[in-house]
Each structure stands twice: as C-alpha cells, then as structure tokens.
Amino acid sequence: MARPIGIYEKATPKHFTWLERLNFAKELGFDFVELSIDESDERLARLDWSKEERLELVKAIFETGVRIPTITFSGHRRYPLGSNDPKKEARALEMMEKCIEFAQDIGIRNIQLAGYDVYYEEKSPKTRARFLKNLRQACTWAEEAQVILSIEIMDDPFINSIEKYLAVEKEIDSPYLFVYPDTGNVSAWGNDLWSEFYIGHKSIAALHLKDTYAVTESSKGQFRDVPFGQGCVDWEAMFDVLKKTNYNGPFLIEMWSENCETVEETRAAIKEAQEFLYPLIEKAGLR
C-alpha cells in the first residue's frame, strides 16, 4: 500500500458539491480530502448538519472511493477553549462535542485542533490553564467516541514547536491526543528539524505539507499562500528526517486555491504543487 496523499478542502473550488470535490480530488490522483470546519458561519453550520446531510457525504465517499479521514477544525480561533469570555468558552466546548459527534457519524478518524489558548484575546496563565482544562474534557469525549484529536503546530507562539506540544501531551495524559505538525509552521519559527521530529515522532498522527516565510526580528513571517519552494522550508532536509524517523503516516498538501476564478486555474495550481513535491518525496523514498 502506497503512502496516502491528500488535498485540503480549501484547495478545491469552493462552489463544488462534496461529490464534485471528491471526484476532482480523484482525477488529480489524491487518496483523500481533509474537510474544513473553520470560524466562518458557513462551515461552522456543518456541526449541525442533519443525518440526511451527513449521509449524503458518506454516500459521496463510497461512490468515489476518496476518503475523508481528517478534519481541520479551526473554529476555535473564533471561540477558543481558553477564552476569557465564559460564553465563548461554553460555545467552544459545545462545538468540540459536536465536532466529535460529526466525525463519528462520517467515519472521520482524526480531528486537527488549532494550538491556540486564545487567538483574538490577550493571553495569560489563566487562558493557558483554561485551555488545558477544556482540552482534557475534549479528550474524554474523544476517548469515548474513539476519535483522535491532534494539535497543529501553529503560527502562534503558544504551541509553535513539537517540543511545546509534548509538554501539553504530558499534562493532558490522554491516549487519544496527538500532534499534527505543519512543515511550514515548524520551519518558520527556526525549530531544529532533527530535534523536533526525533523527540516527537511517536506522537505524530499526520503531516501538512506547506511552505512559509520565516519569522525574524523584522518580520512576523507568512504562514499561508507561499508558493512551494519559495519559502523557508528545507524540503530535502525535511523529507530526510521524516524518512529516518520512520514516519509512515499520510501527507496532506495544504493550499488555499478555493477562490480561483476558474476550475482550470485551481487544477493548475494544485498540479504545480504536485510537480514540486512528488519528486522530492520519491527521492527521499517516502512514496
């Protein structure tokens, strides 16, 4: 069995139905699509889909043979688990419970969580403590549903390295909590790749492939919409360490081409990414 390679939902045309999206991914040779539940009202509404709407998605999966094993759940940017506002905190927990139930219904195995205590609010020891308390509750629900939670290495200092994630993992102590690194985010903060992936390789559930511009004394960096090969990721070193740490999980190409003017333009952008990444993956012996 070849390593599965998937594409992010936000790389595909936004107006597509799920059947069209999965067929589009299939035509491009992908094994799976990662579904997005972000902070927009439109995508948060998926948490309240009816059983009939959920069944339509399952039917599309079976009809195309293209899986949806993961969710990028970034809705906690708007309603963070560590929020200073009790109403937002309650909403964050409600969303988390609904997302786990949604994953269970669809057959999704892995929910990627944004590694923020808060995003639009001021951080403090209290927001960190609140985040950890509520993450522990989320893990309890995940354990009951047999759906794993994976924290992304972020564009934010709160959890911007695998090392920082491992401190959280130790405190939460749940067999259903993992880390979901992003090649671009790990690289942008100047983390040592060897240290990061050697100490964390047993906790990695999946991996985003993305390029970024680095955070420096004079720049906040850029964490999305950076063309592959033009950012700070040392791709040969990245794939080399993944090979040597025996990473056998999936690769997810993370792009934001959903609002291209035409489907052909979207397809061309994705193919350009594939043409850059696939030879490097093959060269490293990872495909």
Side-chain angles (χ1 to χ4, degrees):
M1 180 183 293
R3 177 189 310 277
I5 298 181
I7 189 70
Y8 188 31
E9 175 192 340
K10 290 187 179 182
T12 66
K14 192 172 184 179
H15 66 275
F16 271 4
T17 65
W18 273 102
L19 181 59
E20 291 171 332
R21 178 170 292 109
L22 297 184
N23 272 318
F24 179 76
K26 186 175 185 176
E27 290 167 10
L28 287 165
F30 290 109
D31 303 293
F32 68 96
V33 172
E34 185 163 276
L35 183 146
S36 168
I37 298 180
D38 62 19
E39 58 187 315
S40 68
D41 289 338
E42 177 186 0
R43 286 190 166 112
L44 285 176
R46 292 172 173 177
L47 297 175
D48 295 308
W49 270 2
S50 66
K51 289 190 178 295
E52 290 74 21
E53 288 172 304
R54 297 176 191 211
L55 183 58
E56 283 302 308
L57 181 54
V58 172
K59 287 179 179 177
I61 293 168
F62 273 84
E63 183 172 332
T64 61
V66 177
R67 300 178 297 115
I68 303 179
T70 53
I71 295 173
T72 292
F73 183 42
S74 53
H76 281 151
R77 282 166 60 111
R78 182 174 170 187
Y79 300 100
L81 289 170
S83 180
N84 296 294
D85 182 341
K87 290 183 179 179
K88 286 186 177 180
E89 180 189 5
R91 173 73 168 134
L93 280 169
E94 177 190 25
M95 287 163 44
M96 186 75 262
E97 188 171 21
K98 285 182 176 182
C99 190
I100 291 169
E101 291 172 355
F102 178 88
Q104 192 175 34
D105 284 349
I106 304 302
I108 290 166
R109 297 172 173 82
N110 183 4
I111 299 173
Q112 184 203 69
L113 300 182
Y116 306 119
D117 53 347
V118 291
Y119 186 75
Y120 299 111
E121 303 174 37
E122 185 176 348
K123 297 176 182 295
S124 71
K126 288 183 179 180
T127 60
R128 177 184 177 82
R130 207 175 289 121
F131 170 83
L132 291 170
K133 176 196 71 172
N134 291 327
L135 179 60
R136 179 57 262 184
Q137 175 60 69
C139 286
T140 297
W141 290 329
E143 291 165 23
E144 291 168 351
Q146 295 182 298
V147 174
I148 69 169
L149 305 180
S150 303
I151 295 180
E152 184 180 12
I153 305 306
M154 299 306 302
D155 56 347
D156 178 275
F158 184 67
I159 301 179
N160 62 359
S161 68
I162 296 174
E163 182 181 6
K164 284 186 178 180
Y165 161 76
L166 291 172
V168 172
E169 180 184 82
K170 188 172 183 179
E171 186 162 353
I172 297 298
D173 194 28
S174 169
Y176 277 71
L177 185 65
F178 289 82
V179 66
Y180 197 141
D182 178 306
T183 58
N185 293 357
V186 169
S187 300
W189 295 99
N191 293 303
D192 181 80
L193 296 182
W194 292 96
S195 297
E196 286 286 283
F197 285 94
Y198 269 99
I199 66 171
H201 74 100
K202 291 182 179 179
S203 297
I204 297 172
L207 190 77
H208 275 172
L209 302 182
K210 185 185 77 179
D211 220 333
T212 52
Y213 294 136
V215 176
T216 66
E217 290 184 3
S218 59
S219 173
K220 294 181 179 180
Q222 183 175 325
F223 291 87
R224 54 172 287 176
D225 299 316
V226 176
F228 287 98
Q230 295 185 27
C232 65
V233 177
D234 184 336
W235 288 101
E236 290 203 9
M238 178 66 70
F239 288 133
D240 184 51
V241 73
L242 291 173
K243 177 68 174 178
K244 288 178 178 174
T245 53
N246 198 32
Y247 174 72
N248 292 306
F251 289 145
L252 188 284
I253 298 177
E254 187 174 30
M255 300 173 58
W256 289 265
S257 46
E258 66 179 359
N259 291 316
C260 288
E261 291 187 6
T262 65
V263 173
E264 290 72 25
E265 188 179 339
T266 304
R267 184 181 285 108
I270 294 172
K271 284 186 174 180
E272 185 177 346
Q274 290 174 308
E275 288 167 3
F276 175 82
L277 291 167
Y278 286 8
L280 293 168
I281 292 170
E282 295 280 354
K283 182 179 179 182
L286 289 167
R287 180 65 165 156

